[in-house]
């Protein structure tokens, strides 16, 4: 079994990004600027946003965070979005999900200007992605595509099984893997809560992507011998052994699955670091107007 080291691959990509940003700054031009909007006090969301901010700054990006209280109205959030849409100094921004219950996520993601939608959640970017046109690709699925590329994992004609149909990961992942591209050209099965024979489906996968949001859901018996396993899950559990008082687990039971898989992403240090890099790659593209020229 070989580990797919997302930390290492992300460091290689970060170095490239840092060099590209330095060229922009050395030419006396404005650094790329990523903004984030976070509503409420969900600890996991705050951890993600802080990590995005720290990484962005370390690579020379400008980073700003708009922190709104959990009881902010939809209209107030829309005002912030409108402000960011018009701010020439902001190249791209994200609204951290999930939003509080009283908000309409679709309305919010659709209000972000597609040119600044570095999360790739706007219908224009999702539609362009489906058609294979230039688009901001959602960060987690694109980070996984970068891992497959880096490790030269052949997806052509392979059976890829995606567990979970979220708008953020499962659904775009299934599209990217089945597109006529490399990596891509796979035969994709998308499994979800209503799938009847999910365990057999998973066990038939050459490449298994677990994005189902259930801690250690995928066990050894659900994985084919020699499969590639990508674990998107992030779950905190209390631990006396760590300074923080918790440790991270994925959607995959690493112990049993690592005995069957040929390659597997660990949690932490697999998909997670790649997601942040993908977002910064999109932000640099936004700064250079590569996706939406003119
Ligand atoms: N919540 C979990 N993942 C993401 C992401 O990639 N972007 C945003 N905006 N929110 C998230």
């Amino acid at each position: 079994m070989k580990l797919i080291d997302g930390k290492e691959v992300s460091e290689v990509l970060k170095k490239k990004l840092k060099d590209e940003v330095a060229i922009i700054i050395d030419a006396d031009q404005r650094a790329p600027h990523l903004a984030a909007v976070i509503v409420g006090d969900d600890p996991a969301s705050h951890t993600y946003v802080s990590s995005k901010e720290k990484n962005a700054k370390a690579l020379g990006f400008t980073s700003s965070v708009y922190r709104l209280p959990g009881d902010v109205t939809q209209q107030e959030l829309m005002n912030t979005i409108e402000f960011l849409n018009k701010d020439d100094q902001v190249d791209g921004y994200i609204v951290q999900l999930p939003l509080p219950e009283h908000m309409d996520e679709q309305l919010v993601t659709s209000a972000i200007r597609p040119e600044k939608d570095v999360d790739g959640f706007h219908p224009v970017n999702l539609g362009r992605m489906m058609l294979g046109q230039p688009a901001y690709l959602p960060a987690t699925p694109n980070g996984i595509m970068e891992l497959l590329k880096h490790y030269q994992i052949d997806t052509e004609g392979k059976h890829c099984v995606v567990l979970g149909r979220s708008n953020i990961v499962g659904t775009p992942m299934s599209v990217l893997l089945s597109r006529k591209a490399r990596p891509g050209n796979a035969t994709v099965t998308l499994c979800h809560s209503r799938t009847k024979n999910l365990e057999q489906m998973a066990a038939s996968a050459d490449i298994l992507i677990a994005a189902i949001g259930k801690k250690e859901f995928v066990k050894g018996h659900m994985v084919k011998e020699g499969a590639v396993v990508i674990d998107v899950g992030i779950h905190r559990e209390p631990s006396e052994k760590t300074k923080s008082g918790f440790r991270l687990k994925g959607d995959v039971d690493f112990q049993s699955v690592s005995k069957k898989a040929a390659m597997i992403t660990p949690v932490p240090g697999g998909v997670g670091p790649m997601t942040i890099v993908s977002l910064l790659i999109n932000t640099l593209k936004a700064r250079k107007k590569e996706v939406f020229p003119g």
Side-chain angles (χ1 to χ4, degrees):
M1 184 274 299
K2 184 174 168 179
L3 274 185
I4 298 176
D5 190 342
K7 182 99 185 75
E8 187 182 283
V9 179
S10 74
E11 291 302 330
V12 173
L13 295 175
K14 278 201 264 187
K15 169 85 179 63
K16 269 198 213 161
L17 272 175
K18 193 173 181 180
D19 291 348
E20 283 203 52
V21 173
I23 291 170
I24 295 176
I25 295 170
D26 285 350
D28 286 333
Q29 290 180 4
R30 183 175 59 72
H33 184 170
L34 171 68
V37 182
I38 179 163
V39 185
D41 48 17
D42 174 49
S45 291
H46 278 271
T47 306
Y48 295 145
V49 170
S50 302
S51 181
K52 282 167 196 161
E53 190 174 27
K54 198 177 92 200
N55 276 282
K57 286 185 173 164
L59 302 185
F61 288 69
T62 304
S63 171
S64 51
V65 181
Y66 292 74
R67 294 183 175 84
L68 307 180
D71 60 358
V72 75
T73 63
Q74 171 102 26
Q75 189 53 52
E76 282 169 301
L77 174 58
M78 289 305 221
N79 293 345
T80 305
I81 289 174
E82 216 28 61
F83 177 80
L84 288 167
N85 279 345
K86 288 189 183 137
D87 187 346
D88 289 343
Q89 302 295 304
V90 171
D91 299 295
Y93 70 98
I94 65 154
V95 177
Q96 185 67 26
L97 303 178
L99 289 167
E101 288 277 306
H102 66 281
M103 288 187 169
D104 181 340
E105 250 170 44
Q106 301 269 0
L107 211 64
V108 169
T109 49
S110 300
I112 297 170
R113 255 181 75 189
E115 292 86 345
K116 294 191 174 195
D117 168 41
V118 284
D119 253 335
F121 294 167
H122 189 283
V124 165
N125 279 307
L126 290 169
R128 284 173 163 233
M129 174 189 72
M130 247 196 78
L131 297 169
Q133 295 174 357
Y136 294 117
L137 301 178
T140 301
N142 197 40
I144 293 169
M145 296 302 274
E146 289 289 337
L147 282 179
L148 295 173
K149 215 187 294 176
H150 183 90
Y151 283 91
Q152 298 180 341
I153 295 166
D154 190 13
T155 54
E156 184 137 334
K158 296 288 168 62
H159 187 205
C160 294
V161 175
V162 180
L163 305 180
R165 59 177 158 187
S166 72
N167 291 338
I168 295 181
V169 184
T171 298
M173 190 76 246
S174 69
V175 172
L176 289 177
L177 286 167
S178 58
R179 280 197 328 191
K180 203 169 189 171
R182 276 173 181 261
N185 286 325
T187 304
V188 180
T189 303
L190 180 59
C191 297
H192 48 74
S193 55
R194 305 292 165 94
T195 298
K196 287 218 169 78
N197 49 350
L198 186 142
E199 292 205 1
Q200 289 103 299
M201 285 291 178
S204 74
D206 301 309
I207 299 169
L208 180 63
I209 318 266
I212 206 158
K214 291 186 184 159
K215 189 171 81 174
E216 297 180 315
F217 175 84
V218 178
K219 308 284 185 200
H221 72 275
M222 294 160 66
V223 174
K224 184 161 85 175
E225 196 76 45
V228 174
V229 178
I230 309 286
D231 189 350
V232 183
I234 302 180
H235 309 273
R236 282 179 185 211
E237 70 173 26
S239 170
E240 285 168 5
K241 290 189 190 145
T242 61
K243 238 196 308 184
S244 61
F246 66 85
R247 63 177 169 183
L248 296 178
K249 294 279 179 180
D251 284 359
V252 172
D253 173 33
F254 190 86
Q255 217 191 352
S256 62
V257 172
S258 57
K259 291 188 183 119
K260 302 279 284 293
M263 298 180 88
I264 184 168
T265 58
V267 175
V271 174
M274 295 301 293
T275 298
I276 290 174
V277 169
S278 297
L279 183 67
L280 295 173
I281 290 173
N282 280 349
T283 306
L284 181 61
K285 283 186 176 163
R287 175 70 185 91
K288 294 171 145 185
K289 299 200 185 315
E290 276 179 17
V291 178
F292 292 89

